[in-house]
Amino acid sequence: MKIECLNLGVLKQASFSLNDFTIICGENNTGKTYAAYALYGFLKLWRQYLPVHKIKKHVDSVLQNGVTRVDVSRYVQKADSILDKGCVNYATGLSHIFASKSILFDDAIFQIKFEQSEFSIERAFQRKIATSNQETILLVDKEKNSNDLMISLLMEKSATDKFPKYLVNDFISNSINELLFKPLFPDPFIASAERTGAAIFRKELNFARNRLLEEMMKDGENIDPMNLLFKSYKDYPLPVKIDVEFTRNLQSVANEKSFITENYPELLIDFADILGGEYTIDKDDTIFFKPKGNFRKLDMDESSSSVRSLLDLGFYLRHKAKKGDLLLIDEPELNLHPRNQCRMARLLARLTNLGIKVFITTHSDYLLKELNTLIMLNGKEPHLKSIADREKYQASELLDASRISVYVAERALVRLEGNKRKSMCHTLTPAEIDEKFGIEVSSFDSVIDKMNNIQDEIIWAGE
């Protein structure tokens, strides 16, 4: 998956590819979060932005005959144009994703590209509309390796006249889009940089929700509940809104089990070691942190900033994670000691090897250097295994260099579309990654080198 951006916040022109592990690093105010939020927003909402197909003859056929057949192979041929239209529609809504003025995104372009060979309809597929008593009334079905999408209206002929045409059209159209694009778009989960605040103000968020419910129940008031809920969060970017909602609903989240909990509990033990304890939630929906070796439970405002910043990640790993997800974390190093930043890098590498795609923005030299180690230790030379054994690196943590992509958000010379000469602007520059030497990111090294040079001069210049 290749993403191209133009005039997206400070990013004048940039492109990046989504790998199994994708990193955007760089200085402050260089566009890292713009890229992450724009990608998250599309992956979260792509269904509502893809165009509705005009399939009147199929709608008429299913309403008249109770069945119709759609050859979906022809939609594969125009999948690129379908996706392009969806991206154009999405770009017009970027101001809502970022909770900013629309004028700031008037010239913004956001595009996602795939190779034609990536579009496939070989899988079996089924969707349905059912009544409240679970009786199927509209069914879309496709057998494996078939090109035919069969649509059946399972109700009495006398009732079909009352069945809305637009509902049938939208259902078939959405089924075509789902068949084409769902395998290509991972389900995203985001931990925004605002997650620490969301954790500590969780009680206040619940109180605000209850106040909204009270307003909706007032007699004689003509209140739209969805409008009220929208207004309560309208000043926050979509990723922050969803992060807040996830944190607010942890009690229901805690009723689920992730594939990690069921199959890889040792990873949760390692996470608890980074955390320094475990989260618990009581029947009154209060979140506590129980430090290791301590019988006392702490609530969130008594806990450290690192405990609060890891809250949503901890619940995601234990209760929501599934293979194929895209885990986006804005600054995973937030509030972590350098030692735990390195351990976080190893944890994220293990998640990648378990089948979860990881996308992070970071300022952490420790995190990148630890990922370097995981890449370099993945070689075949005999001495690498002895180093890994001595330093207690596990095979499940080692990374293949081809599975990781790193981009530096920076000002660089770029040839903008329609211009003959290059000009300086904010962009994303791919970093070199070598399986022997790891990731080369000069922006971190130059800062460290300068500090070392100054200190050397302080110590030795007077000698």
Side-chain angles (χ1 to χ4, degrees):
M1 182 192 301
K2 184 177 182 181
I3 299 95
E4 297 179 353
C5 308
L6 293 174
N7 304 314
L8 181 63
V10 298
L11 289 175
K12 188 68 176 176
Q13 180 172 303
S15 65
F16 60 97
S17 294
L18 189 64
N19 207 337
D20 292 333
F21 198 142
T22 308
I23 302 169
I24 299 181
C25 59
E27 296 185 20
N28 300 109
N29 304 312
T30 52
K32 301 184 300 298
T33 300
Y34 273 101
Y37 280 13
L39 175 62
Y40 174 81
F42 185 86
L43 292 177
K44 191 71 177 177
L45 303 174
W46 62 269
R47 291 174 179 85
Q48 75 182 53
Y49 287 107
L50 291 184
V52 176
H53 306 296
K54 296 178 180 179
I55 44 179
K56 182 178 182 301
K57 69 174 184 178
H58 294 295
V59 173
D60 291 341
S61 177
V62 76
L63 289 175
Q64 292 169 13
N65 306 316
V67 66
T68 192
R69 178 182 65 83
V70 178
D71 179 3
V72 286
S73 62
R74 67 190 187 93
Y75 290 95
V76 175
Q77 302 306 314
K78 55 182 182 179
D80 276 333
S81 63
I82 295 171
L83 183 54
D84 285 345
K85 289 176 184 177
C87 289
V88 169
N89 294 336
Y90 175 66
T92 63
L94 280 169
S95 61
H96 299 297
I97 302 299
F98 288 93
S100 299
K101 295 178 181 178
S102 59
I103 193 172
L104 298 176
F105 297 93
D106 280 350
D107 300 325
I109 294 175
F110 179 90
Q111 291 183 310
I112 290 182
K113 299 289 186 183
F114 291 99
E115 298 293 331
Q116 185 63 37
S117 59
E118 295 181 81
F119 297 110
S120 173
I121 55 171
E122 293 180 356
R123 65 189 178 111
F125 178 80
Q126 188 177 92
R127 291 182 77 214
K128 62 184 178 181
I129 294 179
T131 62
S132 57
N133 60 2
Q134 302 303 311
E135 181 181 352
T136 300
I137 56 175
L138 188 58
L139 176 67
V140 170
D141 190 54
K142 189 188 82 68
E143 294 181 356
K144 187 175 181 180
N145 298 322
S146 171
N147 290 337
D148 294 335
L149 200 65
M150 303 301 299
I151 299 96
S152 305
L153 189 61
L154 307 176
M155 59 193 303
E156 294 294 331
K157 183 71 171 66
S158 58
T160 59
D161 291 340
K162 298 180 181 179
F163 207 80
K165 285 189 175 183
Y166 78 88
L167 183 61
V168 179
N169 190 101
D170 289 356
F171 186 70
I172 299 174
S173 177
N174 293 339
S175 296
I176 293 169
N177 289 339
E178 189 84 9
L179 175 63
L180 278 175
F181 297 106
K182 178 63 176 74
L184 301 175
F185 295 142
D187 291 331
F189 178 89
I190 193 162
S192 69
E194 287 77 12
R195 57 190 180 272
T196 302
I200 196 171
F201 293 114
R202 185 171 178 272
K203 291 180 181 177
E204 285 75 8
L205 292 169
N206 278 328
F207 177 74
R209 178 199 59 179
N210 293 334
R211 288 291 301 274
L212 286 173
L213 293 174
E214 289 175 10
E215 289 295 318
M216 289 188 286
M217 295 173 65
K218 283 183 179 179
D219 292 334
E221 295 284 346
N222 183 18
I223 294 175
D224 180 352
M226 293 308 298
N227 189 44
L228 267 176
L229 289 171
F230 172 76
K231 283 182 178 179
S232 69
Y233 292 137
K234 71 177 182 178
D235 294 329
Y236 301 99
L238 176 72
V240 177
K241 294 178 191 177
I242 292 178
D243 200 357
V244 165
E245 281 300 291
F246 179 80
T247 303
R248 197 178 61 75
N249 291 310
L250 289 181
Q251 189 171 45
S252 60
V253 169
N255 294 325
E256 304 176 46
K257 284 187 179 180
S258 70
F259 86 101
I260 294 173
T261 297
E262 294 181 337
N263 300 300
Y264 304 97
E266 68 278 3
L267 188 145
L268 298 177
I269 293 172
D270 289 345
F271 177 80
D273 203 29
I274 295 172
L275 184 66
E278 293 185 344
Y279 299 110
T280 61
I281 185 166
D282 67 10
K283 62 182 180 180
D284 296 323
D285 194 27
T286 301
I287 301 292
F288 292 101
F289 171 66
K290 187 172 186 249
K292 278 186 176 180
N294 192 329
F295 292 104
R296 185 190 169 202
K297 296 189 297 186
L298 309 174
D299 62 24
M300 284 300 100
D301 52 2
E302 294 176 310
S303 301
S304 69
S305 57
S306 64
V307 168
R308 297 195 294 270
S309 68
L310 292 173
L311 178 65
D312 50 0
L313 179 59
F315 273 78
Y316 168 77
L317 294 176
R318 184 173 291 276
H319 302 289
K320 298 293 289 186
K322 62 183 185 301
K323 288 189 177 183
D325 280 355
L326 175 64
L327 172 62
L328 297 97
I329 309 180
D330 205 357
E331 301 179 20
E333 70 272 15
L334 198 64
N335 301 313
L336 295 183
H337 183 276
R339 178 172 174 268
N340 278 336
Q341 292 182 39
C342 294
R343 298 179 70 187
M344 177 60 68
R346 295 167 69 170
L347 182 84
L348 295 177
R350 288 174 69 183
L351 291 177
T352 299
N353 290 330
L354 289 179
I356 293 177
K357 290 182 180 293
V358 174
F359 183 110
I360 65 171
T361 68
T362 185
H363 300 288
S364 173
D365 180 54
Y366 295 102
L367 195 148
L368 279 182
K369 286 190 180 300
E370 188 67 7
L371 290 173
N372 269 352
T373 300
L374 301 180
I375 292 170
M376 293 187 287
L377 284 176
N378 197 45
K380 303 298 183 185
E381 292 83 350
H383 72 285
L384 297 178
K385 186 177 186 310
S386 62
I387 295 173
D389 291 343
R390 185 190 71 211
E391 301 298 332
K392 296 183 170 53
Y393 284 96
Q394 304 173 43
S396 60
E397 298 171 332
L398 305 185
L399 277 173
D400 188 321
S402 66
R403 300 184 66 195
I404 185 167
S405 296
V406 179
Y407 297 87
V408 181
E410 61 182 356
R411 282 180 59 82
L413 283 172
V414 175
R415 182 175 286 108
L416 301 176
E417 188 174 344
N419 293 355
K420 292 182 178 180
R421 294 184 178 180
K422 292 183 177 181
S423 56
M424 290 292 292
C425 67
H426 283 97
T427 187
L428 299 178
T429 304
E432 293 292 330
I433 303 177
D434 184 271
E435 60 184 23
K436 185 174 182 179
F437 298 106
I439 307 163
E440 182 181 336
V441 179
S442 59
S443 60
F444 287 130
D445 294 336
S446 61
V447 173
I448 295 170
D449 289 344
K450 183 176 181 179
M451 293 171 64
N452 289 337
N453 290 337
I454 291 172
Q455 291 181 11
D456 285 345
E457 187 176 1
I458 292 170
I459 295 171
W460 303 111
E463 296 294 322

